[in-house]
């Protein structure tokens, strides 16, 4: 089964690290730094996994999770945040109540091994 990752993070250096790890794990990767572009890429990429930053300009991760829930998203979601680990865990709980499959949260900076382990789920 092909694994497809859709990644949105406004910090390019973090998204590039995740992209490299995912490609080594044989994911096809679509990535963006803008939430509105994420919404456009969602149908095109048909992701099996999503990495979603919580704090971004234009639209935050909570709004994107609500948007994903409205679409019946079944992808495994990994929440990342450089803001506060508690915020990411609260977002995970909120997402689960909408039926989204949040498999993990990561705080920035994160380790390569943590990303690799989570994407291997």
């Amino acid at each position: 089964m092909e694994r497809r990752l859709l990644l949105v993070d406004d910090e390019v250096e973090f998204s590039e690290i995740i992209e490299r790890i995912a490609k080594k794990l044989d994911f096809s990767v679509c990535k963006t730094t803008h939430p509105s572009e994420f919404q456009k890429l969602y149908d095109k990429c048909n992701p099996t996994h999503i990495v979603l930053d919580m704090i971004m300009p234009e639209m935050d991760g909570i709004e994107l999770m609500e948007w994903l829930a409205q679409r019946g998203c079944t992808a495994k979601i990994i929440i990342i945040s450089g803001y506060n680990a508690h915020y990411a865990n609260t977002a995970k709980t909120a997402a689960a109540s909408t039926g989204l499959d949040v498999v993990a949260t990561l705080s920035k900076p994160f380790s390569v091994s943590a990303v690799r382990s989570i994407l291997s789920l």
Side-chain angles (χ1 to χ4, degrees):
M1 179 178 163
E2 182 187 12
R3 298 186 303 169
R4 297 168 305 281
L5 175 66
L6 177 54
L7 164 62
V8 60
D9 190 337
D10 62 318
E11 295 182 71
V12 175
E13 59 276 3
F14 287 109
S15 65
E16 288 176 349
I17 292 166
I18 294 170
E19 179 183 27
R20 283 195 300 269
I21 295 166
K23 285 184 174 181
K24 286 183 180 181
L25 294 171
D26 295 323
F27 278 84
S28 61
V29 178
C30 295
K31 71 175 182 171
T32 183
T33 57
H34 300 284
S36 59
E37 182 68 18
F38 171 90
Q39 291 173 316
K40 292 175 187 172
L41 288 171
Y42 178 76
D43 288 328
K44 178 182 175 186
C45 293
N46 190 24
T48 58
H49 295 70
I50 293 172
V51 174
L52 183 63
D53 188 21
M54 283 290 99
I55 307 297
M56 296 177 287
E58 182 185 327
M59 183 185 309
D60 67 22
I62 299 291
E63 291 171 291
L64 282 178
M65 286 192 299
E66 290 171 357
W67 183 86
L68 289 167
Q70 290 171 356
R71 276 144 192 81
C73 175
T74 59
K76 294 179 180 182
I77 299 173
I78 299 113
I79 296 172
I80 58 174
S81 179
Y83 176 67
N84 180 315
H86 177 72
Y87 182 75
N89 287 325
T90 300
K92 178 180 180 178
T93 302
S97 72
T98 65
L100 294 174
D101 185 12
V102 178
V103 295
T105 61
L106 281 172
S107 294
K108 295 176 186 175
F110 45 77
S111 71
V112 169
S113 62
V115 175
R116 191 178 305 122
S117 293
I118 291 168
L119 288 177
S120 296
L121 294 174

